């Protein structure tokens, strides 16, 4: 550890304490998950359905796309209703109408305010106290059973091809006969009832429901709890305290006067001949941009479903419904972003290993690539067969569609994906470990942190296998967010930060000491809030108040480091002027600058906009969520993967000429398109929905009547302009990558000439034993005679990308 001992102890301590919190309150999730009644019956003794029926309904819901078709407890897609809120409101209004006709012989709407108030009081008393008995059974009143049957009949028609609800299916972007089996539609309604029951029934010993009074439903007094308000205010105070402490640390603890090392005369990474495994990475880069282009086109197609089910007069919904295209849109994004990360790791492994491949490394790289293609294609086909209801129900979870957003792929494909990630881990360790344990006197702390992040990426994806097809939704959400939040926004963050620090220090642009210190400090900062901050996704997923308190408090700390990202962006961009050969990396550096910007805006501003419990209470499941998701997922991880892709391409094809018009169109088209998408469509729609959710309830903000009003229809059409600009940018950038991969010779540009000459010199010398990077203390081979740029102001992340993301 040496001079970094305090940083290592801080990072290790953070991990131990934060994972202890995550595990302890994770056990609380298991203990406090809403019970699934063994049997539901009426007060008169009539059996309605059983626990197995409810779980069968859960699997039926998964088979139609699950969270890709509407949402449950606020998690999922946004075009169709939130089935929990919608069922609950429909059942409550049916109960009130039945009671009004029974008591007063008139419809509820025709009663005066006093009589309506009396019925609402009776309604609230019945629903909030209607818990499971000691025998595990749930007994409902005869009137409630009739209201349930009335609501179930509506859903049976909605998920079939009944002509009466054809217009609603079009408004919700549902295909005709979404769930053909009448028996499975009945089970689906019983599952929807259970999710609504948990949202309406008070947890024993408390005055809040199992979902902490979510959704907002004034008819039964579902309003924010006092704990919700308290921890919302506390999260803001913690955020301000965290910002204050960071500013003090910035002012007093950083080294103001440490000079930058002298820049090498040429790029040290070109001191090696490309190894066979590195040369094999071209197909990875092609896969990145191929999936990227597919993703943005299918995303535009999916967005069109929000305004009409036909595609400019062509009805494709029966073959490619909204739930399928949205699944492919999200899964394609995860595949191409992950492939970009895997590619940069595989490129660095031989560099770390002294410019040579371990035995059979190229074979492993080739096998991993085709495994990725196999899993991608197989999972997409499985998604199609499941949603088309062409797959046997018992196969759906394993080969078709799990139903859970971001982990939609069937369980077999998920396991194979993890096997592929573990293969990547093995390939990385074969290159890293020899250098890590070599006794050469070099500073290995940065390499040790890189190795740890690689190991975490390989192992923690397995958390997604800890739930099953019939696992409680609360428990499933706990493990799902281990993948979506902790694996992606935690350990991929550490890897990205450390990998870039290693690259920049190996180039001699920053000292190894500066890179190591910044990486360790950054990792501690975002894991401090990021690990227990996972709970901010679980406020209303059947968890208790302590989970809300931990999630609100620590996720506020995730935003704190984002205040320095403007300085980080400047420091990353300033690296371009450190040496003439850095012109070759202009566009990767611009991507890293964009990452810092979108991290601040998408992860920071839009993230905290939906983070406090009082905020999320009203806007969970509205279009404010995709505002954050698009800006953080693509703005941060997308641009980061594209930056890695362009950087690796620059070294694989040193003679390739990057077209300035193409790169400008690609880079600025993606940024401008994302801005237009958010500020002209998603954010205005989300704000209008927010007002409706506060005033009437979530059911109304997601209802057909509200979402199909002319203003919101117009705003969804307006999104087309942003989508077209974004698609144009994606095509331009992808075209540049493809042209670069195809360009294996030709007349090099000025920057390409320098890279090419370095490659020729390297081939003449043969592979080196050690990478030509900075040595301990910051000196770099080839730097003799080069002039230092003088003292530099150093931040916690001045030498590296610290994409500290606040979750979506």
């Amino acid at each position: 550890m040496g001079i970094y001992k305090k940083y290592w102890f801080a990072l290790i301590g953070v991990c131990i304490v934060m994972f202890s919190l995550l595990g302890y309150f994770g056990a609380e999730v298991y203990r406090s998950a809403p019970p699934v009644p063994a049997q539901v019956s009426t007060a008169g003794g009539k059996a309605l359905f059983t626990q197995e029926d409810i779980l069968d309904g859960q699997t039926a819901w998964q088979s139609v796309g699950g969270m890709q078709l509407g949402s449950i407890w606020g998690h999922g897609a946004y075009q169709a209703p939130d089935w929990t809120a919608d069922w609950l409101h429909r059942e409550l209004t049916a109960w009130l109408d039945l009671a009004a006709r029974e008591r007063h012989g008139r419809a509820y709407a025709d009663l005066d305010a006093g009589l309506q108030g009396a019925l609402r009081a009776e309604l609230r008393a019945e629903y909030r106290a209607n818990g499971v008995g000691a025998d595990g059974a749930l007994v409902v009143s005869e009137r409630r059973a009739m209201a349930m049957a009335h609501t179930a009949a509506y859903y049976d028609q909605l998920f079939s091809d009944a002509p009466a609800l054809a217009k609603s299916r079009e408004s919700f972007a549902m295909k005709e006969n979404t769930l053909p089996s009448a028996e499975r539609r009945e089970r689906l309604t019983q599952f929807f009832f259970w999710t609504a029951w948990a949202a309406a029934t008070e947890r024993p010993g408390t005055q809040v429901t199992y979902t902490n009074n979510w959704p907002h439903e004034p008819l039964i007094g579902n309003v924010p709890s006092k704990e919700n308000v308290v921890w919302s205010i506390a999260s803001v105070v913690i955020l301000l305290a965290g910002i204050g402490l960071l500013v003090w640390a910035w002012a007093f603890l950083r080294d103001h006067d440490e000079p930058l090392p002298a820049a090498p005369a040429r790029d040290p990474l070109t001191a090696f001949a490309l190894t066979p495994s590195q040369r094999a990475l071209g197909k990875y880069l092609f896969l990145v941009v191929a999936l990227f282009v597919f993703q943005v086109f299918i995303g535009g197609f999916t967005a069109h479903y929000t305004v009409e089910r036909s595609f400019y007069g062509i009805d494709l919904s029966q073959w490619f419904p909204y739930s399928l295209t949205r699944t492919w849109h999200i899964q394609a994004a995860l595949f191409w972003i992950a492939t970009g990360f895997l590619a940069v790791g595989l490129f660095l492994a031989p560099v770390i290993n002294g410019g040579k491949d371990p035995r059979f490394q190229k074979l492993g790289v080739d096998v991993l690539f085709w495994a990725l293609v196999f899993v991608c294609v197989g999972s997409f086909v499985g998604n199609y067969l499941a949603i088309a209801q062409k797959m046997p129900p018992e196969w759906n979870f394993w080969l078709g569609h799990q139903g859970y957003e971001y982990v939609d792929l069937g369980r077999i494909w998920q396991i194979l994906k993890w096997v592929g990630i573990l293969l990547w881990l093995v390939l990385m360790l074969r290159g890293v470990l020899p250098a890590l344990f070599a006794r050469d006197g070099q500073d290995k702390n940065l390499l040790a942190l890189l190795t740890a992040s690689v190991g975490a990426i390989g192992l923690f994806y397995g958390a997604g296998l800890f739930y099953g097809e019939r696992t409680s939704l609360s428990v499933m959400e706990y493990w799902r967010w281990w993948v979506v939040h902790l694996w992606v926004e935690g350990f991929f963050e550490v890897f990205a930060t450390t990998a870039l620090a290693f690259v920049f220090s190996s180039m001699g642009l920053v000292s190894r000491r500066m890179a190591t210190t910044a990486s360790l400090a950054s990792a501690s900062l975002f894991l401090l809030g990021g690990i227990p901050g996972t709970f901010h996704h679980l406020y209303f997923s059947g968890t208790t108040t302590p989970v809300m308190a931990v999630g609100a408090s620590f996720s506020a700390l995730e935003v704190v480091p984002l205040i320095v990202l403007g300085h980080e962006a400047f420091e990353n961009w300033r690296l371009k002027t450190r040496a003439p050969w850095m012109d070759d990396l202009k566009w990767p550096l611009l991507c890293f600058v964009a990452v810092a910007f979108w991290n601040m805006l998408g992860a920071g501003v839009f993230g905290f906009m939906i983070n406090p419990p009082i905020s999320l209470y009203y806007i969970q499941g509205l279009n404010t969520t995709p505002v954050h998701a698009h800006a953080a997922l693509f703005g941060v991880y997308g641009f980061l993967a594209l930056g890695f892709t362009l950087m690796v391409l620059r070294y694989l094809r040193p003679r390739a000429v990057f077209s300035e018009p193409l790169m400008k169109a690609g880079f600025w088209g993606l940024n401008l398109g994302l801005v237009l998408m958010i500020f002209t469509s998603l954010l205005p729609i989300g704000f209008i929905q927010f007002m409706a959710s506060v005033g009437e309830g979530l059911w109304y903000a997601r209802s057909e009547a509200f979402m199909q009003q002319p203003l919101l229809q117009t705003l969804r059409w307006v999104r087309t302009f942003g989508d077209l600009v974004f698609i144009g940018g994606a095509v331009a950038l992808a075209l540049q990558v493809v042209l670069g991969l195809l360009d294996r010779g030709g007349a090099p540009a000025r920057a390409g000439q320098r890279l090419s000459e370095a490659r020729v010199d390297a081939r003449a010398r043969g592979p080196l034993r050690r990478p030509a990077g900075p040595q301990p203390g910051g000196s770099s081979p080839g730097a003799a005679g080069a002039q230092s740029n003088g003292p530099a102001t150093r931040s916690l992340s001045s030498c590296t990308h610290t994409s500290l993301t606040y979750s979506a």
Side-chain angles (χ1 to χ4, degrees):
M1 295 183 180
I3 60 174
Y4 311 107
K5 184 179 297 185
K6 62 182 179 182
Y7 296 102
W8 276 112
F9 283 158
L11 178 58
I12 293 170
V14 163
C15 289
I16 291 174
V17 174
M18 298 304 111
F19 271 112
S20 296
L21 283 174
L22 189 63
Y24 178 81
F25 289 104
E28 174 70 10
V29 172
Y30 275 85
R31 290 191 296 268
S32 61
V36 180
Q39 180 173 290
V40 179
S41 58
T42 67
K46 179 182 177 181
L48 299 178
F49 48 88
T50 66
Q51 181 181 87
E52 288 303 306
D53 293 332
I54 294 172
L55 296 178
D56 286 343
Q58 181 173 325
T59 65
W61 166 71
Q62 292 164 350
S63 74
V64 298
M67 291 180 178
Q68 302 297 357
L69 183 64
S71 56
I72 292 289
W73 291 348
H75 293 289
Y78 315 102
Q79 183 64 14
D82 179 90
W83 306 118
T84 302
D86 189 68
W87 176 287
L88 179 60
H89 187 76
R90 289 180 183 277
E91 185 186 322
L92 295 176
T93 53
W95 188 100
L96 288 171
D97 206 50
L98 288 169
R101 293 184 186 279
E102 178 185 319
R103 296 277 181 85
H104 308 291
R106 289 177 289 166
Y108 174 77
D110 296 332
L111 301 180
D112 60 44
L115 294 176
Q116 287 184 342
L119 288 180
R120 287 199 304 273
E122 185 180 344
L123 174 79
R124 174 174 177 170
E126 176 178 333
Y127 271 72
R128 294 186 71 91
N130 196 190
V132 171
D135 59 352
L138 173 64
V139 178
V140 299
S141 68
E142 298 291 342
R143 186 184 298 155
R144 182 170 189 178
M146 293 174 64
M148 291 161 55
H150 178 83
T151 308
Y154 164 81
Y155 280 100
D156 180 72
Q157 291 189 65
L158 182 65
F159 280 81
S160 70
D161 56 0
L165 292 180
K167 184 64 173 63
S168 294
R169 284 191 292 275
E170 183 174 355
S171 298
F172 299 154
M174 296 172 63
K175 70 171 186 172
E176 293 297 309
N177 220 12
T178 301
L179 190 57
S181 167
E183 181 183 355
R184 299 191 80 205
R185 288 199 300 271
E186 182 181 7
R187 299 293 175 262
L188 178 71
T189 64
Q190 291 157 359
F191 170 68
F192 285 170
F193 161 77
W194 173 79
T195 68
W197 168 83
T201 303
E202 290 182 357
R203 184 184 295 276
T206 74
Q207 294 181 322
V208 296
T209 68
Y210 283 101
T211 56
N212 283 314
N213 280 1
W214 185 93
H216 181 214
E217 180 49 85
L219 287 177
I220 55 169
N222 265 16
V223 295
S225 65
K226 60 180 182 294
E227 293 87 359
N228 185 312
V229 176
V230 167
W231 287 108
S232 297
I233 295 173
S235 71
V236 176
V237 173
I238 291 169
L239 171 64
L240 295 175
I243 292 174
L245 290 173
L246 181 60
V247 170
W248 277 81
W250 180 290
F252 286 97
L253 300 181
R254 68 191 177 105
D255 187 347
H256 292 264
D257 302 317
E258 180 178 344
L260 291 173
R266 65 185 182 189
D267 186 349
L269 293 185
T270 62
F272 302 105
L274 287 173
T275 68
S277 73
Q278 288 176 320
R279 288 196 295 270
L281 292 175
K283 53 183 172 288
Y284 280 77
L285 306 189
F286 179 79
L287 182 62
V288 168
V289 295
L291 285 172
F292 177 40
V293 170
F294 171 77
Q295 188 232 342
V296 297
F297 271 99
I298 203 72
F301 184 75
T302 303
H304 189 82
Y305 272 133
T306 67
V307 291
E308 59 179 357
R309 193 170 60 183
S310 64
F311 189 72
Y312 299 103
I314 304 173
D315 188 4
L316 300 176
S317 64
Q318 290 304 105
W319 299 278
F320 303 102
Y322 174 91
S323 56
L324 176 65
T325 59
R326 190 175 188 271
T327 297
W328 284 352
H329 176 63
I330 292 177
Q331 286 302 304
L334 297 180
F335 273 116
W336 75 258
I337 290 172
T339 302
F341 276 75
L342 300 186
V344 76
L346 294 173
F347 177 80
L348 288 177
V351 176
I352 296 169
N353 195 41
K356 62 183 185 297
D357 278 340
R359 193 180 183 190
F360 302 123
Q361 184 79 353
K362 180 183 181 300
L363 176 62
V365 169
D366 290 339
V367 169
L368 176 58
F369 173 79
W370 292 112
L372 288 173
V373 172
F374 177 71
V375 171
C376 182
V377 173
S379 64
F380 279 18
V381 171
N383 295 153
Y384 174 83
L385 294 175
I387 291 176
Q389 299 294 301
K390 297 181 182 298
M391 181 176 287
E394 60 271 17
W395 292 8
N396 177 78
F397 182 82
W398 290 94
L399 288 172
H401 201 301
Q402 289 190 42
Y404 301 129
E405 197 176 27
Y406 293 102
V407 284
D408 306 89
L409 70 175
R411 175 55 56 87
I412 293 294
W413 306 114
Q414 186 183 14
I415 293 172
L416 292 176
K417 184 177 179 180
W418 190 36
V419 171
I421 294 170
L422 291 176
L423 174 58
W424 175 79
L425 171 60
V426 171
L427 294 173
M428 288 295 298
L429 293 181
R430 295 175 78 234
V432 171
L433 292 181
L436 183 63
F437 293 111
R439 297 188 177 183
D440 51 15
Q442 291 198 31
D443 181 352
K444 304 294 180 63
N445 284 271
L446 185 60
L447 189 55
L449 182 60
L450 179 64
T451 306
S453 68
V454 167
I457 289 174
L459 297 175
F460 274 83
Y461 183 75
L465 304 178
F466 279 79
Y467 61 85
E469 181 178 7
R470 300 163 83 84
T471 298
S472 162
L473 281 185
S474 299
V475 173
M476 178 282 302
E477 286 285 25
Y478 173 70
W479 290 113
R480 183 172 77 95
W481 288 109
W482 269 63
V483 176
V484 182
H485 179 95
L486 187 58
W487 182 65
V488 174
E489 300 179 21
F491 297 113
F492 264 109
E493 292 279 7
V494 178
F495 172 76
T497 298
T498 312
L500 275 176
F502 184 86
V503 168
F504 290 150
S505 62
S506 295
M507 287 177 172
L509 301 175
V510 294
S511 72
R512 182 62 58 91
R513 177 175 173 270
M514 181 187 295
T516 304
T517 301
S519 297
L520 285 167
S522 298
S524 296
L525 278 174
F526 55 70
L527 290 180
L528 174 65
I531 295 173
T534 304
F535 284 128
H536 82 256
H537 299 282
L538 305 179
Y539 293 156
F540 313 117
S541 296
T543 57
T544 54
T545 298
V547 171
M548 177 189 292
V550 172
S553 301
F554 283 94
S555 61
L557 294 177
E558 291 183 81
V559 186
V560 170
L562 303 184
I563 67 169
V564 303
L565 290 183
H567 183 270
E568 177 197 330
F570 170 74
E571 290 291 337
N572 281 338
W573 178 242
R574 193 173 69 156
L575 292 177
K576 189 176 76 71
T577 64
R578 292 279 287 118
W581 47 264
M582 281 297 292
D583 286 341
D584 297 317
L585 299 175
K586 168 189 173 181
W587 290 107
L589 282 177
L590 267 176
C591 286
F592 300 147
V593 171
V595 167
F597 171 78
W598 287 108
N599 226 333
M600 177 275 297
L601 182 62
V605 176
F606 294 146
F608 196 73
M609 174 180 73
I610 66 175
N611 177 68
I614 189 64
S615 176
L616 200 59
Y617 179 85
Y618 289 110
I619 63 181
Q620 178 164 289
L622 305 184
N623 274 266
T624 45
T625 304
V627 166
H628 165 56
H630 281 82
L633 182 59
F634 176 76
V636 178
Y637 294 100
F639 267 119
L640 188 56
L642 292 176
F644 283 149
T645 298
L646 293 172
M647 184 174 71
V648 174
L649 175 63
R650 184 73 274 176
Y651 289 106
L652 294 187
R653 299 290 188 269
R655 296 174 64 89
V657 180
F658 278 17
S659 165
E660 283 292 307
L662 271 182
M663 288 307 303
K664 286 180 179 178
F667 178 80
W668 294 112
L670 291 173
N671 279 282
L672 180 59
L674 191 55
V675 167
L676 290 174
M677 186 192 309
I678 290 171
F679 288 99
T680 66
S681 182
L682 289 176
L683 190 58
I685 292 172
F687 182 76
I688 295 170
Q689 283 184 295
F690 173 45
M691 298 294 289
S693 178
V694 173
E696 300 291 333
L698 179 69
W699 69 271
Y700 179 64
R702 290 278 297 274
S703 67
E704 180 181 5
F706 184 81
M707 292 300 292
Q708 297 305 313
Q709 58 183 302
L711 174 59
L712 295 187
Q713 278 283 76
T714 300
L715 287 173
R716 289 197 293 274
W717 272 111
V718 166
R719 177 175 168 175
T720 304
F721 297 106
D723 285 353
L724 289 176
V725 173
F726 190 89
I727 290 171
V731 170
L733 192 144
L735 181 59
Q736 176 60 85
V737 172
V738 172
L739 291 175
L741 290 171
L742 295 175
D743 188 353
R744 295 175 177 272
R750 179 175 61 87
Q753 180 70 51
R754 286 194 300 275
L755 280 169
S756 176
E757 290 171 350
R759 290 278 184 232
V760 171
D761 291 345
R763 291 188 181 99
R765 291 191 304 268
L768 303 181
R769 296 292 299 175
R770 298 298 307 159
Q775 307 302 312
S779 62
S780 300
Q787 297 299 313
S788 170
N789 285 352
T793 301
R794 182 171 70 87
S795 74
L796 287 173
S797 55
S798 63
C799 64
T800 178
H801 159 68
T802 52
S803 45
L804 306 166
T805 297
Y806 178 80
S807 158

